[in-house]
Amino acid sequence: RAAFAPPLQGADTIATEDGCGPEPPAAPDAGNPARQVRDWQGCPAGVAVEFVTVQGAGHAWMAGSAQQIWSFLAAHPAVS
């Protein structure tokens, strides 16, 4: 059986490897108080790491999740 690190730890590892600052505290989303966002600062140009949690949500996709993911990806295109 495979062992996986908690998702937040994975995001922090990615941020560290990409040269971002330390893990930020969770900040509430003004438009959705159940949504908490961690947005790493100090990342090099072209790098963004964001971790979003929704209180009370399980593993099912929440309404609007696909749009939020697409918005993030569209704002941060891959650099080759």
Side-chain angles (χ1 to χ4, degrees), residues 10-38:
D12 191 49
T13 297
I14 290 169
T16 299
E17 291 296 318
D18 283 346
C20 301
E23 181 184 320
D29 181 336
N32 181 351
R35 187 173 180 261
Q36 299 284 311
V37 179
R38 293 177 193 265

Side-chain angles (χ1 to χ4, degrees), residues 12-79:
D12 191 49
T13 297
I14 290 169
T16 299
E17 291 296 318
D18 283 346
C20 301
E23 181 184 320
D29 181 336
N32 181 351
R35 187 173 180 261
Q36 299 284 311
V37 179
R38 293 177 193 265
D39 187 10
W40 277 257
Q41 302 297 306
C43 299
V47 174
V49 179
E50 186 176 280
F51 188 83
V52 179
T53 56
V54 180
Q55 290 180 338
H59 286 282
W61 284 73
M62 303 284 294
S65 295
Q67 181 59 47
Q68 289 180 351
I69 292 168
W70 176 248
S71 294
F72 179 85
L73 294 174
H76 305 90
V79 177

